[in-house]
């Protein structure tokens, strides 16, 4: 069983114009991923683009690995053009994953962050209070799939095009003030860095654990090149190895 | 195994090479900075099957490295400005070397300093550590006593620092040359004259990338080192030129991704090759390349890798 393996693409499903779900079948036996972990995926066929791309594990079904991704740059655009039957090389599972949770928890997902939070919610069904937001309703994903997995859900859009208007952090702040059962629960978050930074600020002093999943440009994905570091109170830490999940209070936010 | 009629089973080709006193089972080494201290790769590669392990560069005092963003992909390559982050010579000897000693593969310690004194001290400490079989001197790092210009771009500094290190160690000493110079053959000859047992080239080419939306450099350090397939033609050319200028063995590196790439370097005169950025793309690549070289030699009916080293056939020039 190796963390370096070949996979066959089963499908590359269009979810919205900008988002896809890639489903792959590993060839041979591979390790089972934990929520919050990621894989490095080959996106080119040769030396261009050179590097593999890191994607969070979104869902795992009978050995099939699924990745929910946004088409953002050269790598993801190429990935979106790969069709069923294509063989790609992969590395994983990588990273530390979300610790616990032992009981009920709060999950905060911003935009594409729903990808890694989804696997957490699916792995601990019926225990999560999900605060889920995006810029517009076009970027809200997997709402129907996620509703059965959570205790409660609060959906926000920055522009008010769906459900409540405002930032997901504003709604969490209001929830913590008005909903007693949320107090003291651990928080798991994945999304844009300004959201994670704001989340850290609003949770400061409340005595609630908060774990954030970071992203950084990666080359090797396995701790060797030292390219993907985040600045923490304990020095530089590798997002691919000591992370991608970190206690939010450890991070030196920009 | 299928054999065509008349085919004689041949012994496996001899892949062994020597870099001075260093005997390698095959000509494939790891490039410093791309293989850590070996531990991360042990799950993918049998470290007993590589020619030599060149570890991440070490300095006497640990370095924290540069702030992010440290890397960016570029066409067929990448820029890095890691900033020479390392745990320091002492921690390497105490914590990382024991793991490497389990293997039957020469360990070459890449080292650097921000002054001649620091270079000499690092070399001295590494030389007395059990399990270090050779030293690779990184002179592409900035010199604090010379306005932070690199050692490797100043002929006098080159001569001074290599001579000083040479005087303090009897271990095989390889000098890793910077390509960011006008005349790499001149630098190569200085290194040879100053006592190097071998040369490795090329290190990264200095490059830069800009984010056109923010109008800022992508890397926090502004500039970085370019590596990967994009630099290979420059590396092959420089290795060819240096092999014609010096008598000591040359280790060729720069964008090697496959056995075919490695063979280019051997043919122009390199005694061995080092594989770097390719490890990020495929952590098993070093072994794939060893096997690929062996396969090529078998298919060509060549019994020893030494037969192809320096075997380039140049056109007759007037």
């Amino acid at each position: 069983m190796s963390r370096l393996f070949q996979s066959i693409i089963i499908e590359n499903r269009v979810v919205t114009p900008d988002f896809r779900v890639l489903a792959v079948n590993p060839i041979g036996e591979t390790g089972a991923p934990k929520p919050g972990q990621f894989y490095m995926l080959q996106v080119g066929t040769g030396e261009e683009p050179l590097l593999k791309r890191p994607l969070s594990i979104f869902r795992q079904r009978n050995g099939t690995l699924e990745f929910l991704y946004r088409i953002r740059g050269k790598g993801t655009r190429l990935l979106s053009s790969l069709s069923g039957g294509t063989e790609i090389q992969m590395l994983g599972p990588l990273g530390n994953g979300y610790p616990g949770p032992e009981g009920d928890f709060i999950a905060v997902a911003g935009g594409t962050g729903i990808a890694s939070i989804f696997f957490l919610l699916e792995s601990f069904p019926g225990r999560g209070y999900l605060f889920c937001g995006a810029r517009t309703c076009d970027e809200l994903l997997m709402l129907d799939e996620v509703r059965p997995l959570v205790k409660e859900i609060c959906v926000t859009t920055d522009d008010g095009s769906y459900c409540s208007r405002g930032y997901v952090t504003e709604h969490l702040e209001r929830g913590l003030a008005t909903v007693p059962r949320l107090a003291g629960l651990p928080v798991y978050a994945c999304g844009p860095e300004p959201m994670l930074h704001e989340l850290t600020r609003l949770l400061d002093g409340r005595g609630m654990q908060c774990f954030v999943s970071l992203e950084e440009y990666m080359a090797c994905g396995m701790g060797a090149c030292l390219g993907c570091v985040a600045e923490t109170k304990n020095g530089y830490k590798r997002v691919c190895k000591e992370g991608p999940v970190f206690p939010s209070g450890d991070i030196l936010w920009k | 195994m299928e054999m065509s009629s008349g085919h004689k089973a041949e012994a496996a080709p001899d892949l062994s090479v020597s870099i001075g006193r260093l005997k390698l089972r095959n000509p494939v080494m790891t490039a410093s900075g791309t293989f850590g201290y070996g531990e991360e790769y042990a799950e993918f590669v049998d470290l007993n099957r590589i020619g030599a392990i060149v570890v991440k560069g070490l300095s006497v005092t640990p370095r924290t490295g540069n702030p992010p963003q440290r890397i960016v992909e570029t066409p067929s390559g990448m820029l890095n400005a890691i900033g020479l982050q390392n745990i320091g010579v002492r921690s390497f000897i105490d914590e990382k070397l024991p793991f490497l000693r389990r293997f039957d593969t020469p360990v070459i310690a890449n080292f650097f300093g921000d002054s001649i004194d620091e270079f000499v001290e690092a070399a001295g400490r590494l030389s007395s550590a059990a399990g270090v079989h050779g030293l690779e001197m990184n002179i592409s790092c900035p010199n604090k006593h010379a306005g932070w210009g690199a050692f490797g771009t100043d002929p006098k500094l080159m001569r001074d620092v290599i001579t000083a290190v040479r005087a303090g160690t009897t271990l095989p000493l390889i000098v890793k040359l910077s390509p960011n110079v006008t005349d790499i053959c001149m630098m190569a000859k200085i290194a040879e004259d100053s006592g190097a047992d071998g040369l490795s080239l090329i290190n990264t080419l200095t490059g830069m990338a800009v984010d056109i939306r923010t109008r800022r450099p992508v890397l926090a350090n502004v500039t970085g080192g370019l590596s990967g397939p994009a630099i290979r033609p420059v590396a092959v050319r420089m290795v060819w030129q240096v092999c014609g200028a010096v008598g000591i063995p040359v280790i060729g590196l720069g964008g090697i991704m496959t056995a075919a790439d490695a063979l280019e370097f051997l043919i122009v005169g390199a005694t061995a090759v080092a594989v770097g950025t390719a490890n990020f793309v495929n952590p098993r690549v070093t072994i794939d390349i060893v096997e690929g070289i062996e396969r090529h030699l078998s298919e060509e009916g060549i019994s020893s890798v030494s037969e192809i080293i320096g075997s380039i056939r140049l056109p007759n020039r007037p």
Side-chain angles (χ1 to χ4, degrees):
Chain A
M1 193 158 81
S2 178
R3 288 204 294 171
L4 179 68
F5 58 95
Q6 301 295 117
S7 273
I8 306 282
I9 295 179
I10 303 169
E11 80 171 330
N12 211 341
R13 191 169 79 246
V14 176
V15 176
T16 72
D18 285 343
F19 285 87
R20 303 282 181 276
V21 169
L22 176 79
V24 304
N25 263 351
I27 298 171
E29 236 195 298
T30 58
K34 296 184 300 188
Q37 289 191 304
F38 69 99
Y39 288 76
M40 294 293 278
L41 281 74
Q42 171 193 353
V43 300
T45 50
E47 297 166 2
E48 174 62 26
L50 183 68
L51 302 173
K52 287 184 165 63
R53 297 305 198 257
L55 292 181
S56 295
I57 182 77
F58 159 65
R59 195 158 52 184
Q60 198 257 119
R61 263 161 187 35
N62 302 320
T64 298
L65 305 172
E66 293 188 26
F67 303 90
L68 168 64
Y69 67 98
R70 182 195 191 115
I71 300 171
R72 261 172 86 171
K74 187 164 68 169
T76 42
R77 198 165 306 119
L78 242 177
L79 185 62
S80 72
S81 71
L82 299 182
S83 53
T86 307
E87 187 175 308
I88 58 169
Q89 191 180 62
M90 293 176 55
L91 190 61
L94 299 164
N96 60 351
Y98 297 111
E102 279 157 26
D104 292 352
F105 59 95
I106 294 168
V108 181
T112 322
I114 189 66
S116 101
I117 291 292
F118 187 94
F119 195 37
L120 176 69
L121 296 170
E122 197 182 55
S123 304
F124 298 93
R127 304 234 301 259
Y129 294 89
L130 175 64
F131 290 80
C132 160
R135 278 182 295 204
T136 74
C137 58
D138 295 333
E139 296 178 22
L140 285 171
L141 307 159
M142 302 296 157
L143 290 184
D144 292 338
E145 289 87 342
V146 93
R147 271 182 228 279
L149 300 174
V150 299
K151 277 183 124 92
E152 288 177 47
I153 183 170
C154 168
V155 183
T156 60
T157 47
D158 295 357
D159 66 355
S161 50
Y162 181 86
C163 219
S164 315
R165 185 193 185 90
Y167 291 139
V168 68
T169 43
E170 291 169 344
H171 286 262
L172 173 62
E173 195 162 23
R174 204 168 311 138
L176 289 173
T178 58
V179 182
R181 59 188 173 278
L182 293 178
L185 294 183
V187 180
Y188 296 81
C190 186
E193 201 159 297
M195 181 197 93
L196 301 178
H197 188 177
E198 173 55 22
L199 182 65
T200 306
R201 188 208 61 78
L202 86 88
L203 290 177
D204 187 34
R206 290 181 196 253
M208 288 164 69
Q209 287 185 304
C210 180
F211 303 102
V212 296
S213 177
L214 299 185
E215 58 178 10
E216 188 52 74
Y217 289 97
M218 293 182 183
C220 73
M222 46 183 256
C225 74
L226 309 181
C228 68
V229 297
E231 291 182 83
T232 79
K233 292 176 179 163
N234 305 307
Y236 292 126
K237 298 293 172 195
R238 296 165 290 185
V239 172
C240 71
K241 188 96 171 171
E242 286 83 43
V245 179
F246 294 92
S248 62
D250 284 3
I251 303 297
L252 293 173
W253 300 100
K254 290 188 196 75
Chain B
M1 182 176 115
E2 281 190 354
M3 291 205 212
S4 52
S5 59
H7 174 93
K8 271 193 308 186
E10 307 268 343
D14 179 8
L15 297 182
S16 64
V17 295
S18 297
I19 312 279
R21 280 164 22 228
L22 273 174
K23 305 263 176 278
L24 311 185
R25 64 174 60 87
N26 64 57
V28 180
M29 304 167 55
T30 63
S32 175
T34 68
F35 213 72
Y37 307 109
E39 289 163 314
E40 291 87 4
Y41 286 89
E43 75 175 270
F44 303 105
V45 161
D46 177 359
L47 296 181
N48 280 320
R49 292 186 62 200
I50 311 183
I53 297 171
V54 182
V55 299
K56 167 84 183 167
L58 298 158
S59 48
V60 171
T61 42
R63 302 285 169 96
T64 51
N66 290 331
Q69 187 173 335
R70 290 181 168 182
I71 58 173
V72 61
E73 188 183 73
T74 57
S76 297
M78 59 178 283
L79 287 170
N80 92 77
I82 307 297
L84 299 170
Q85 175 179 341
N86 77 97
I87 55 176
V89 169
R90 146 150 292 165
S91 295
F92 167 72
I93 292 172
D94 293 345
E95 295 163 28
K96 303 296 179 186
L97 209 41
F99 171 78
L100 289 167
R101 279 198 291 265
R102 293 190 215 165
F103 302 94
D104 187 30
T105 298
V107 171
I108 297 171
N110 178 294
F111 71 102
F112 65 95
D114 62 5
S115 65
I116 294 181
D117 287 344
E118 213 196 351
F119 263 102
V120 171
E121 194 182 342
R125 289 177 187 273
L126 289 164
S127 295
S128 47
V132 174
H133 304 96
L135 300 176
E136 182 183 64
M137 206 168 151
N138 172 14
I139 45 78
S140 302
C141 51
N143 176 0
K144 75 178 177 194
H145 295 311
W148 298 107
F151 282 91
T153 59
D154 181 320
K156 181 173 188 311
L157 274 174
M158 274 278 278
R159 193 178 298 282
D160 290 347
V161 73
I162 298 170
T163 303
V165 166
R166 174 77 282 173
T169 180
T170 54
L171 278 187
L173 178 64
I174 297 160
V175 174
K176 187 165 184 179
L177 298 178
S178 164
N180 304 306
V181 295
T182 312
D183 185 349
I184 193 154
C185 291
M186 177 176 76
M187 297 311 202
K189 285 195 261 237
I190 289 172
E192 183 182 39
D193 290 345
S194 305
D197 298 304
L199 303 174
S200 51
L201 60 143
I202 55 172
N203 207 325
T204 52
L205 287 158
T206 310
M208 182 175 176
V210 175
D211 182 326
I212 62 169
R213 277 186 316 107
T214 63
R215 300 192 197 167
R216 292 200 169 108
V218 171
L219 300 176
N221 189 59
V222 181
T223 58
L226 180 68
S227 66
I231 73 170
R232 194 168 64 241
V234 176
V236 170
R237 183 265 298 181
M238 288 189 159
V239 167
W240 173 61
Q241 289 179 322
V242 166
C243 287
V246 301
I248 52 178
V250 169
I251 298 157
L253 63 152
I256 295 173
M257 304 287 293
T258 65
D261 301 338
L263 287 160
E264 275 191 271
F265 285 86
L266 298 174
I267 289 166
V268 298
T271 303
V273 297
V275 177
T277 302
N279 290 300
F280 305 153
V281 181
N282 171 12
R284 273 192 54 86
V285 72
T286 43
I287 300 303
D288 290 349
I289 290 176
V290 170
E291 292 174 352
I293 292 174
E294 191 169 44
R295 214 162 30 239
H296 174 83
L297 295 178
S298 290
E299 284 164 12
E300 299 280 302
I302 299 169
S303 59
S304 164
V305 74
S306 52
E307 286 176 45
I308 59 159
I309 289 173
S311 64
I312 182 142
R313 298 173 184 148
L314 294 169
N316 295 322
R317 284 190 180 152

